[in-house]
Amino acid sequence: MWRGEGASCSDLVSPLLPVAGCHRLSHQLCYIRPATGLLERRRRLGPPAKESYSGHDIGSENFPWGTTTQRAAISATSPISCCVPTRPKGKMAGPRAWAFSFLVLELTSVLGRQTMLTQSVRRVQPMLPQSVRRVQPRKRTSTSFAKPDDSLERSLRRDTESIWSPWSPWSKCSAACGHTGVQTRTRTCLSETVSLCSEATEEGQLCVSQPCTACDLTCPMGQVNADCDACMCQDFMLHGAVSLPGGTPAPGATVYLLTKTPKMLTRTDSSGRFQVPGLCPDGKSILKITKAKFAPIVVTMPKTSLKSATINAEFVRAEMPYIVMNPVTKARRVGQSVSLCCKATGKPSPDKYFWYHNNTLLDPSLYKHESKLVLRNLQQDQTGEYFCKAQSDAGAVKSQVAQLIVIAHDEIPCNPTPESYLIRLPHDCFQNATNSFYYDVGRCPVKTCAGQQDNGIRCRDAVENCCGISKTEEREIQCSGYTLPTKVASACSCQRCAETRSIVRGRVSAADNGEPMRFGHVYMGSNRVSMTGYKGTFTLHVPQDTERLVLTFVDRLQKFVNTTKVLPFNKKGSAVFHEIKMLRQKEPITLEAMETNIIPLGEVVGEDPMAELEIPSKSFYRQNGEPFTGKVKASVTFLDPRNISMATAAQSDLNFINDEGDTFPLRTYGMFSVDFRDEATSESLNAGKVKVHLDSTQVKMPEHVPAMKLWSLNPDTGLWEEEGDFKFESQRRNKREERTFLVGNMEIRERRLFNLDVPESRRCFIKVRAYRSEKFLPSEQIQGVVVSVINLEPRTGFSSNPRAWGRFDSVITGPNGACLPAFCDDQSPDAYSVYVLASLSGEELEAVESSPKFNPNAIGVPQPYLNKLKYRRTDHEDPRVKKTAFQISMAKPRPNSAEESNGPIYAFENLRACEEAPPSAAHFRFYQIEGDRYDYNTVPFNEDDPMSWTEDYLAWWPKPMEFRACYIKVKIVGPLEVNVRSRNMGGTHRQTVGKLYGIRDVKSTRDRDQPNVSSACLEFKCSGMLYDQDRVDRTLVKVIPQGSCHRASVNSMLHEYLVNHLPLAVNNDTSEYTMLAPLDPLGHNYGIYTVTDQDPRTAKEIALGRCFDGTSDGSSRIMKSNVGVALTFNCAERQVGRQSAFQYLQSTPARSPATGTAQGRASSTRQQPASRGGLRRRGGVDPLRFSGVSQQPLSD
């Protein structure tokens, strides 16, 4: 046995033993340690004294050191020269390339003990690692060693154990089957004193690998090759032709034969062709053809009896893996089972899946790495975060994180005590007990809980359980002269989740002037899912399993550039409205295909272009690969980051997937779309060998220059994929050119949208919340608000002037606000800044003012951090500017600063802290303008969150997946605008008769053409089935205008309908109108407008648009008072001191339905946070919302 460096022994000088195959610098001094009898080594520094020999076998006649007897006469007291053999350069491994070490040890007396001469010969593989030096056979033959004194041995063992770590296990034998190799083990010195660490750190020994098995491969034709992994036919020739997409030859592609280890056979030539001799046409052998940026091609050898065959293959562009199914959050009890699923697509398809628990890779020996992770007999320590990583030859991608909650058998899945939830009461309902206009009705936070499950193990549970209200109490709120009924949550439990549906609505228009894209197509992947209308609006029901909504908007008239957007949506249900801005396509120019063409990329007047597109001569070719030599009709549209007004037209969400599968943001220096066509036939053309010259002076941040890359957009995933790097141009293109350019190469084939981008790692999150009023109550937060952020370049004087935008992002507010990604810097607070804006259904919300009042409590951020962020609303310096956005500096919070650790800026790694921050933590705020519409529901319901729906007979919306909105149009003749109320009570259902559903108030809107006429579109509760779907209820609706009004007329068709559909409500009071609401969806001819939708807000807005327009299928923002009217009232100015209708209702007992009013409590108003609107302010024209519909509590 040999030992490594550091063995303590006398330095003895002796002649060197030449060893076959040794390198001259690899010689070692070998010696015997008397105490142990082990063969050890010490490295000799420098070359040996004499030249080593190679190419000779020990013991042969050619060995230059004489006979075996002469070699055995070497003194045993001399160190032996030994080495690691090296493979002779340029020679194949063969019998004469093996090295043999010959060690002769003479019998000698050591401490009175006798040691027998041992001779061993070892055979070592070529190219043995340098760390492996000396070996001894595992099995000694005819060898005996003298045993040291027992006390000395015990002493040495104790010393060794205290200084050295235990020996590691023996390594695997290095030889192939049936051959002799080497295995080693190591140990570490534990002492800090160097002198005590002089013993061996490494040991080695000879080993014989497992016996070889006979080759069991059988060939139907030909013979088995030497490696026993393929069949070879000497007289067969395979020919092949490989092309790129479109038919262009694919030079430099590599052809492999797939065996146990893929074997490279050849590469394609300049014409994309190859030939391989010796393969067998057995119909079983598989070839793999690869080329960078393309998905590998796998083909099977053709089966033929001929002496040759030809295969043709065409590459498709490689696509990074893309997650199409994420694992979902689930809850279980101890001992139950759960399945978490993950699915990805790509080219090639992902073939490996890895699962992680709390960022730790799960053991493959315990959990199969497949797309479905099954966990049985769950324990509580398995609670946590799970995600998967899918991998293919093209790259990797990580899924979203899913939470797994595992609770004990006896643990309650939901907190039975409701949390606080305040609602706003009417203006005449002040509560002395709380000294406010608010009342706590409680709520149960909607979250996944461990409920009853069947035995099936599915990716998505058959029944999803959520915490919800299980019990309510009816209470009466004492107001000024009347009582107001309400339902208060008293208990929560785990129950079946309410069914919801996610909807995306929007409007598509030009970024420059707002021109709508009429009758355009909306694609999701390759499927057309919607179409824009005359005004550019569209509606889309999001498929249930959609994780990332990627839509492409295509203008059939080719006025606009095809635009791909990644739109956030509410996965818990409800509708989200998006304004889609598109670039207008540039007018085409004519290019000569046989000439070099230069196209500038830049849109700022008076500034140099950001970049130039150089298309060399003879670069165009047709889709079939045929060169094109005619005239080219070219349209190149550039999105210039120096024009901030174009930021909203940015394509996609500027993200890419890195090699580890993580999503990272990009900072753009410009996007451009290209459209090349044959001028004669309009056939789309491709272009190869295109160069992009980027002006380096336009890159204001020096660290971005070496990181600049060229990217192309994958329209199916909405992700950017790398096309190539930029390098400094080696020489100037002309003598007068003073600018320095970065040049990148690209080909224009199936993708037509490109980006000049830099990956950016300095990231933070901004906490933003939206409210229904300036009171900023947590219970009045609005969900479904689209909050957008525009990242700007550094401030003037830092490193960039003029400033430019670099990124545009949007997120959706949830029950706890939203966290917006943005670039930040921890060195300089002014390094980055952002604009933040918010909109709801096309209405722009207002930011908190910064001038003349600067109130940190209103803004939501305390000092001194607020000053560091430099908060400014857009009208800070010019009051004429809209108040709908604010600007801040992205000063990254310091980790050791207490005042900066609680928001509103969070470091990227603290996303969870941002998402879970309580309303008391610092955040920025938007709010709706106080309006003149006011809603009250007896059973509280948040229209922003359909999952807050509660099963109750008095619920305003009886079905959570079907929301039916009803409006009646009321015309007011008089000099003033009048508040109009609808009081809605149960009319014919035994469970609800005489009980209040809710109240709606709205202020009439002045007619533009008639000074003494105004009209109101008033919501009422539709008649129909209640939640139990047992029988219908004809809602008793009372319409009451405020002031001195009397009923002038009733729509004749409406009156006739009500007469023919009994019972008929009595109308003895001319100051109001009472009806049992119709069951049928009447139209504008009756003055009734009914719309059913899967989102309550959408249904109400469509019905409002029709009511304003006075039609059954139109929409308008302008009130048309003379068409589609149901009721007309004449209203005069009320005399001073005269009692109003509302005062009369408060002081007069309620009457029964038979006399025209429902029994029960007098009506009042109450804030319904999810349905109160405001005066609408828009960035563009929206046909479904109207500035005239204002909403605010009625006053006497």
Side-chain angles (χ1 to χ4, degrees):
M1 183 177 289
W2 58 262
R3 290 206 175 177
E5 277 81 12
S8 59
C9 219
S10 306
D11 284 331
L12 302 175
V13 181
S14 70
L16 292 176
L17 172 65
V19 181
C22 286
H23 191 278
R24 61 181 301 163
L25 295 181
S26 66
H27 284 268
Q28 308 286 321
L29 292 178
C30 299
Y31 49 88
I32 290 293
R33 183 171 183 178
T36 62
L38 294 178
L39 180 64
E40 301 177 346
R41 72 176 180 184
R42 165 168 288 188
R43 183 185 300 275
R44 178 194 293 274
L45 301 178
K50 294 183 180 181
E51 187 67 43
S52 297
Y53 291 83
S54 62
H56 302 285
D57 290 336
I58 298 177
S60 70
E61 295 301 325
N62 296 326
F63 193 72
W65 253 38
T67 65
T68 305
T69 304
Q70 292 172 324
R71 291 194 297 272
I74 302 173
S75 172
T77 59
S78 301
I80 306 299
S81 175
C82 49
C83 70
V84 173
T86 59
R87 178 175 170 175
K89 196 169 184 180
K91 293 185 179 182
M92 296 293 291
R96 299 190 61 82
W98 297 100
F100 291 86
S101 295
F102 181 78
L103 308 177
V104 181
L105 307 178
E106 183 179 352
L107 181 64
T108 183
S109 175
V110 180
L111 298 177
R113 304 290 182 176
Q114 295 295 320
T115 303
M116 296 296 296
L117 176 67
T118 301
Q119 174 179 316
S120 62
V121 179
R122 70 182 176 96
R123 184 181 184 185
V124 183
Q125 284 183 300
M127 305 299 292
L128 199 63
Q130 185 71 13
S131 61
V132 181
R133 296 298 182 188
R134 273 150 245 160
V135 298
Q136 81 168 31
R138 175 175 293 177
K139 298 180 180 179
R140 300 184 180 97
T141 57
S142 303
T143 305
S144 63
F145 290 94
K147 185 175 181 181
D149 181 71
D150 292 341
S151 60
L152 176 61
E153 183 179 16
R154 287 193 297 269
S155 175
L156 290 174
R157 185 181 298 113
R158 286 195 300 268
D159 292 343
T160 301
E161 290 176 353
S162 63
I163 298 176
W164 295 91
S165 68
W167 286 103
S168 68
W170 288 105
S171 66
K172 186 179 179 181
C173 192
S174 62
C177 66
H179 295 281
T180 302
V182 175
Q183 57 184 169
T184 60
R185 64 178 184 176
T186 60
R187 63 176 178 173
T188 304
C189 183
L190 305 178
S191 174
E192 297 181 358
T193 305
V194 178
S195 60
L196 298 178
C197 299
S198 57
E199 293 193 12
T201 61
E202 185 179 21
E203 287 185 350
Q205 67 181 11
L206 289 179
C207 59
V208 178
S209 64
Q210 61 185 6
C212 295
T213 57
C215 179
D216 57 357
L217 177 65
T218 59
C219 293
M221 60 176 64
Q223 297 178 345
V224 179
N225 65 355
D227 294 329
C228 189
D229 57 8
C231 298
M232 309 301 294
C233 296
Q234 298 296 334
D235 55 349
F236 181 80
M237 178 68 72
L238 176 68
H239 302 273
V242 186
S243 61
L244 299 177
T248 307
T254 307
V255 182
Y256 294 91
L257 175 65
L258 291 186
T259 58
K260 295 179 181 179
T261 301
K263 296 182 178 181
M264 192 189 84
L265 302 178
T266 185
R267 296 181 186 273
T268 57
D269 58 19
S270 58
S271 60
R273 299 184 177 277
F274 69 89
Q275 59 182 15
V276 179
L279 298 178
C280 288
D282 52 7
K284 296 181 179 180
S285 300
I286 299 176
L287 301 180
K288 183 177 182 180
I289 309 173
T290 63
K291 185 175 175 65
K293 297 184 181 180
F294 295 94
I297 302 172
V298 178
V299 294
T300 303
M301 284 288 296
K303 189 172 183 179
T304 179
S305 59
L306 302 177
K307 297 299 183 182
S308 65
T310 302
I311 59 173
N312 296 282
E314 182 175 332
F315 280 113
V316 296
R317 185 185 181 93
E319 293 182 0
M320 293 278 291
Y322 175 66
I323 298 291
V324 295
M325 177 188 291
N326 284 294
V328 297
T329 295
K330 295 185 178 182
R332 293 290 189 272
R333 293 189 181 274
V334 169
Q336 292 183 324
S337 300
V338 72
S339 173
L340 300 175
C341 297
C342 172
K343 185 179 179 181
T345 62
K347 295 179 181 177
S349 298
D351 54 358
K352 295 179 182 178
Y353 287 87
F354 304 93
W355 283 94
Y356 294 79
H357 175 216
N358 293 335
N359 291 320
T360 300
L361 179 65
L362 293 178
D363 187 354
S365 63
L366 300 178
Y367 306 97
K368 292 182 179 180
H369 282 172
E370 298 175 349
S371 61
K372 185 176 182 179
L373 175 67
V374 177
L375 304 175
R376 303 180 188 275
N377 191 24
L378 287 169
Q379 303 301 315
Q380 286 189 283
D381 60 359
Q382 291 178 284
T383 294
E385 297 181 341
Y386 289 83
F387 68 90
C388 83
K389 182 168 76 171
Q391 188 170 313
S392 72
D393 291 343
V397 63
K398 292 179 181 177
S399 72
Q400 295 178 3
V401 174
Q403 293 284 339
L404 177 61
I405 304 168
V406 183
I407 63 174
H409 289 289
D410 55 350
E411 186 175 348
I412 300 175
C414 295
N415 184 355
T417 304
E419 64 181 23
S420 177
Y421 183 69
L422 300 177
I423 61 169
R424 188 178 176 185
L425 299 176
H427 62 90
D428 56 354
C429 202
F430 184 82
Q431 300 296 295
N432 293 322
T434 59
N435 195 32
S436 70
F437 284 97
Y438 293 90
Y439 192 82
D440 190 354
V441 297
R443 69 175 177 183
C444 300
V446 179
K447 63 178 184 179
T448 303
C449 58
Q452 294 294 329
Q453 295 289 337
D454 57 20
N455 296 326
I457 301 179
R458 303 178 178 89
C459 295
R460 186 178 293 273
D461 291 339
V463 176
E464 296 183 358
N465 297 292
C466 299
C467 295
I469 298 175
S470 59
K471 185 179 180 181
T472 60
E473 296 178 358
E474 187 171 348
R475 296 182 185 177
E476 293 183 349
I477 305 172
Q478 298 299 322
C479 300
S480 300
Y482 66 98
T483 58
L484 188 66
T486 188
K487 292 286 186 78
V488 177
S490 59
C492 303
S493 67
C494 188
Q495 53 194 267
R496 185 169 184 167
C497 300
E499 295 183 11
T500 60
R501 179 67 62 87
S502 299
I503 302 171
V504 169
R505 299 169 49 241
R507 178 177 179 272
V508 186
S509 60
D512 52 2
N513 62 2
E515 177 188 354
M517 184 186 77
R518 296 186 173 98
F519 311 116
H521 290 167
V522 184
Y523 287 88
M524 186 174 177
S526 58
N527 301 320
R528 195 177 79 183
V529 293
S530 186
M531 188 173 182
T532 62
Y534 180 79
K535 296 184 178 180
T537 57
F538 70 95
T539 300
L540 170 69
H541 294 272
V542 182
Q544 183 178 7
D545 294 330
T546 302
E547 302 293 343
R548 177 179 163 93
L549 183 60
V550 183
L551 300 179
T552 299
F553 299 87
V554 178
D555 180 21
R556 296 191 299 166
L557 302 179
Q558 298 184 2
K559 288 184 178 180
F560 306 108
V561 175
N562 293 346
T563 300
T564 298
K565 290 283 188 179
V566 180
L567 301 182
F569 63 97
N570 191 345
K571 295 183 179 180
K572 293 183 178 180
S574 77
V576 176
F577 186 93
H578 290 278
E579 284 281 357
I580 309 298
K581 296 298 182 181
M582 302 182 71
L583 285 179
R584 194 177 298 277
Q585 189 164 311
K586 284 292 184 182
E587 290 295 327
I589 59 176
T590 301
L591 305 179
E592 293 289 343
M594 304 304 291
E595 298 177 1
T596 297
N597 298 277
I598 305 264
I599 302 175
L601 303 176
E603 300 294 325
V604 178
V605 178
E607 297 284 339
D608 289 330
M610 288 285 298
E612 293 177 346
L613 202 63
E614 179 184 348
I615 308 173
S617 62
K618 304 179 182 179
S619 294
F620 293 101
Y621 58 93
R622 299 185 185 275
Q623 295 295 329
N624 61 3
E626 177 185 341
F628 179 78
T629 59
K631 293 182 180 296
V632 179
K633 189 178 179 181
S635 176
V636 179
T637 307
F638 185 69
L639 180 65
D640 200 319
R642 296 171 295 183
N643 184 356
I644 195 171
S645 65
M646 295 289 106
T648 54
Q651 300 253 8
S652 182
D653 58 356
L654 286 173
N655 287 328
F656 77 102
I657 304 295
N658 70 358
D659 293 337
E660 296 299 319
D662 295 303
T663 302
F664 273 80
L666 293 169
R667 187 258 185 248
T668 185
Y669 280 89
M671 302 179 186
F672 60 96
S673 66
V674 296
D675 185 22
F676 298 141
R677 296 184 180 275
D678 183 348
E679 189 178 51
T681 64
S682 295
E683 176 193 354
S684 181
L685 299 175
N686 298 333
K689 302 178 182 178
V690 177
K691 293 184 179 181
V692 180
H693 301 272
L694 175 64
D695 185 357
S696 63
T697 60
Q698 301 289 349
V699 183
K700 305 300 181 180
M701 304 186 75
E703 63 270 26
H704 283 177
V705 174
M708 186 69 63
K709 295 179 182 293
L710 186 64
W711 308 77
S712 65
L713 180 66
N714 184 334
D716 293 331
T717 65
L719 294 169
W720 295 88
E721 298 179 4
E722 185 179 337
E723 286 284 333
D725 296 321
F726 278 90
K727 298 179 180 179
F728 278 103
E729 207 163 21
S730 57
Q731 59 184 7
R732 301 185 187 276
R733 285 176 289 173
N734 58 67
K735 296 181 179 179
R736 297 184 179 180
E737 181 63 74
E738 297 181 355
R739 295 177 295 171
T740 302
F741 286 87
L742 299 169
V743 61
N745 299 304
M746 58 182 288
E747 292 188 19
I748 300 174
R749 290 191 297 268
E750 66 276 11
R751 294 189 182 175
R752 300 303 170 108
L753 185 65
F754 302 91
N755 203 350
L756 313 173
D757 275 18
V758 172
E760 184 61 86
S761 58
R762 292 176 286 188
R763 296 176 289 170
C764 289
F765 289 97
I766 312 168
K767 186 69 175 187
V768 178
R769 300 178 189 268
Y771 296 89
R772 298 197 175 279
S773 70
E774 289 183 89
K775 296 178 176 60
F776 305 120
L777 293 174
S779 60
E780 291 188 347
Q781 291 189 74
I782 312 175
Q783 300 184 49
V785 174
V786 180
V787 186
S788 301
V789 58
I790 303 174
N791 289 266
L792 303 178
E793 273 193 348
R795 286 185 176 275
T796 303
F798 180 70
S799 65
S800 174
N801 190 17
R803 305 189 69 195
W805 64 273
R807 184 176 173 84
F808 180 85
D809 279 287
S810 293
V811 295
I812 301 297
T813 57
N816 199 35
C819 295
L820 286 84
F823 299 143
C824 61
D825 193 273
D826 56 355
Q827 300 298 322
S828 173
D830 288 342
Y832 291 97
S833 64
V834 296
Y835 277 115
V836 183
L837 55 156
S839 66
L840 176 65
S841 297
E843 165 204 356
E844 292 179 304
L845 304 189
E846 194 161 296
V848 181
E849 68 175 344
S850 60
S851 177
K853 296 181 180 179
F854 189 80
N855 185 354
N857 291 330
I859 295 171
V861 182
Q863 296 285 25
Y865 197 19
L866 184 59
N867 281 340
K868 186 177 180 180
L869 298 176
K870 299 182 179 180
Y871 178 90
R872 295 291 185 269
R873 194 167 71 173
T874 43
D875 67 337
H876 184 81
E877 297 178 352
D878 187 355
R880 296 172 296 177
V881 178
K882 292 198 300 183
K883 307 172 183 180
T884 55
F886 65 84
Q887 181 180 356
I888 59 171
S889 295
M890 287 301 298
K892 186 176 182 179
R894 293 170 296 178
N896 299 323
S897 175
E899 62 269 13
E900 298 179 11
S901 61
N902 198 32
I905 309 299
Y906 293 84
F908 180 77
E909 59 271 16
N910 295 333
L911 173 59
R912 171 164 291 186
C914 178
E915 293 176 336
E916 299 177 354
S920 59
H923 60 274
F924 293 107
R925 294 167 172 170
F926 287 93
Y927 62 94
Q928 282 185 318
I929 304 299
E930 293 270 12
D932 293 331
R933 190 167 71 189
Y934 190 73
D935 298 349
Y936 167 76
N937 293 331
T938 299
V939 179
F941 173 66
N942 187 344
E943 292 178 0
D944 294 333
D945 183 11
M947 297 188 73
S948 65
W949 180 83
T950 304
E951 292 183 355
D952 197 290
Y953 283 106
L954 292 178
W956 185 274
W957 308 97
K959 295 180 65 176
M961 287 287 288
E962 183 178 294
F963 297 93
R964 191 179 183 196
C966 295
Y967 283 80
I968 184 170
K969 192 168 186 176
V970 182
K971 182 179 179 180
I972 305 295
V973 179
L976 301 178
E977 295 177 332
V978 174
N979 289 319
V980 186
R981 166 177 294 173
S982 72
R983 190 166 62 121
N984 305 266
M985 305 182 74
T988 60
H989 197 287
R990 61 179 179 270
Q991 295 287 348
T992 62
V993 62
K995 296 182 179 180
L996 185 68
Y997 286 115
I999 295 170
R1000 298 293 186 265
D1001 293 334
V1002 69
K1003 190 173 183 180
S1004 62
T1005 302
R1006 176 72 61 191
D1007 189 281
R1008 289 187 175 186
D1009 301 325
Q1010 304 176 69
N1012 290 326
V1013 176
S1014 62
S1015 295
C1017 289
L1018 180 66
E1019 184 185 6
F1020 64 90
K1021 186 186 182 305
C1022 306
S1023 295
M1025 290 283 188
L1026 299 186
Y1027 89 93
D1028 61 0
Q1029 300 297 301
D1030 182 35
R1031 56 178 297 180
V1032 300
D1033 181 30
R1034 293 281 299 278
T1035 307
L1036 183 68
V1037 180
K1038 187 178 289 295
V1039 179
I1040 313 166
Q1042 180 186 16
S1044 301
C1045 301
H1046 69 274
R1047 188 173 66 249
S1049 64
V1050 179
N1051 185 295
S1052 59
M1053 295 182 66
L1054 175 62
H1055 179 72
E1056 181 180 357
Y1057 176 90
L1058 296 175
V1059 170
N1060 293 330
H1061 295 77
L1062 300 176
L1064 179 66
V1066 179
N1067 279 282
N1068 293 327
D1069 190 344
T1070 59
S1071 65
E1072 59 189 34
Y1073 180 76
T1074 305
M1075 69 175 180
L1076 288 168
L1079 283 169
D1080 300 311
L1082 306 180
H1084 67 285
N1085 292 328
Y1086 299 81
I1088 303 294
Y1089 304 87
T1090 305
V1091 173
T1092 302
D1093 197 89
Q1094 293 177 343
D1095 175 69
R1097 193 188 303 150
T1098 302
K1100 294 171 71 170
E1101 292 192 9
I1102 295 175
L1104 269 174
R1106 294 176 180 178
C1107 182
F1108 266 64
D1109 193 54
T1111 63
S1112 297
D1113 55 2
S1115 185
S1116 175
R1117 298 182 70 241
I1118 301 172
M1119 179 65 77
K1120 300 176 181 179
S1121 300
N1122 293 328
V1123 291
V1125 176
L1127 304 173
T1128 302
F1129 287 87
N1130 292 329
C1131 299
E1133 291 189 57
R1134 181 167 58 88
Q1135 297 177 2
V1136 177
R1138 183 176 177 181
Q1139 190 180 41
S1140 71
F1142 292 162
Q1143 291 171 331
Y1144 171 76
L1145 286 173
Q1146 293 175 5
S1147 60
T1148 304
R1151 288 171 286 180
S1152 65
T1155 59
T1157 62
Q1159 293 179 345
R1161 305 168 186 85
S1163 65
S1164 181
T1165 60
R1166 165 178 148 184
Q1167 171 80 16
Q1168 169 57 27
S1171 58
R1172 200 192 80 242
L1175 293 172
R1176 307 302 181 188
R1177 178 166 53 253
R1178 303 170 185 281
V1181 179
D1182 181 9
L1184 302 180
R1185 282 278 191 174
F1186 315 96
S1187 59
V1189 181
S1190 52
Q1191 309 152 16
Q1192 138 182 349
L1194 295 173
S1195 59
D1196 292 337

